[in-house]
Amino acid sequence: QVHLQESGPGLLKPSQTLSLTCSVSGASISSGGYYWNWVRQLPGKGLEWIGYIYYTGNTYYNPSLKSRVIVSEDTSKSQFSLKLSSVTAADTAIYYCARAAADYGNAIDVWGRGTTVTVSS
Amino acid sequence: DIQMTQSPSSLSASVGDRVTITCRASQSISSSLNWYQQKPGEAPTLLIFAASRLHIGVPSRFSGSGFGTDFTLTIKSLQAEDFGTYYCQQNYGPWTFGHGTKVEVK
């Protein structure tokens, strides 16, 4: 069974860089056919896709966040990571790591439980 | 960006009712449309992918249809455990989600 677990600081100050890591078990992030994603949910709001990394190292980002986002991977640790720079209160959200599968039309079939990040001075 | 408009934003229905949620894309997205259910305090779960294909383990009372810009999620006979918020998502262009439909079971 595939399991994803987010980790990282829960509290940041404005202008800092958000850094989160997703640890993957039960699947290889080096395997083709899967896209490793970050999705966030603003308080009481809907879902916003941030970006993904493919096993080739190719990345694809939400245009509205692209200038501030880097998604990277560490295959030796079976982890992928999110960096979001210059955060503001508007970046306060639950951050999910998630897997999308080509077998399912690139839909997200596995989600982490999410981690809450608060940006406050 | 491709905008996804869901309707209604919320609904209340009784057990056994047929429930329909619609999702409209701001441009054609072929069949690149997925549906998720999210319960309070939990991550979303996949229900339907590629507009009409039922994900593994999802009850057959759920179905999806549509192509191009107009899509529908139908719950044939609503059950008590179907409460939650339903989201559509397109993965034709940069991925975007609808704003969600909150379903309450009376």
Side-chain angles (χ1 to χ4, degrees):
Chain A
Q1 186 172 353
V2 181
H3 182 70
L4 279 62
Q5 178 68 58
E6 305 87 352
S7 60
L11 181 62
L12 291 172
K13 296 186 185 305
S15 80
Q16 290 185 325
T17 295
L18 179 160
S19 294
L20 296 176
T21 296
C22 183
S23 298
V24 179
S25 59
S28 171
I29 65 172
S30 303
S31 297
Y34 300 107
Y35 301 80
W36 303 97
N37 291 265
W38 290 96
V39 177
R40 68 182 183 180
Q41 187 160 33
L42 305 178
K45 303 279 187 182
L47 300 161
E48 181 178 38
W49 173 72
I50 298 170
Y52 69 63
I53 188 164
Y54 194 47
Y55 82 104
T56 56
N58 289 347
T59 54
Y60 189 33
Y61 300 136
N62 185 326
S64 69
L65 298 169
K66 185 177 181 179
S67 63
R68 298 195 290 134
V69 170
I70 297 174
V71 177
S72 59
E73 61 182 1
D74 185 338
T75 55
S76 66
K77 295 181 179 179
S78 196
Q79 295 176 335
F80 65 103
S81 299
L82 169 69
K83 289 191 185 300
L84 179 67
S85 62
S86 305
V87 298
T88 70
D91 294 310
T92 293
I94 298 171
Y95 286 76
Y96 296 99
C97 61
R99 183 187 82 171
D103 282 348
Y104 303 127
N106 298 337
I108 296 175
D109 68 323
V110 181
W111 297 73
R113 296 184 67 176
T115 187
T116 299
V117 175
T118 302
V119 180
S120 175
S121 55
Chain B
D1 284 9
I2 300 173
Q3 306 301 318
M4 306 301 294
T5 304
Q6 272 185 249
S7 61
S9 57
S10 65
L11 66 90
S12 180
S14 299
V15 171
D17 283 353
R18 182 183 182 91
V19 169
T20 299
I21 298 169
T22 64
C23 183
R24 174 166 288 177
S26 60
Q27 67 181 74
S28 178
I29 58 170
S30 184
S31 60
S32 300
L33 191 284
N34 310 306
W35 290 98
Y36 302 87
Q37 178 194 54
Q38 186 178 33
K39 297 192 174 181
E42 299 181 5
T45 59
L46 178 63
L47 297 174
I48 302 284
F49 65 96
S52 62
R53 299 182 64 184
L54 198 66
H55 187 50
I56 296 170
V58 175
S60 59
R61 63 180 179 273
F62 291 92
S63 64
S65 64
F67 185 87
T69 60
D70 294 310
F71 300 87
T72 299
L73 173 70
T74 300
I75 308 174
K76 184 169 56 177
S77 177
L78 189 71
Q79 300 300 301
E81 61 266 29
D82 297 337
F83 73 93
T85 302
Y86 292 79
Y87 294 94
C88 62
Q89 177 233 351
Q90 64 80 22
N91 53 8
Y92 184 84
W95 300 2
T96 50
F97 291 86
H99 291 296
T101 296
K102 186 173 183 178
V103 173
E104 175 195 73
V105 181
K106 292 178 185 174

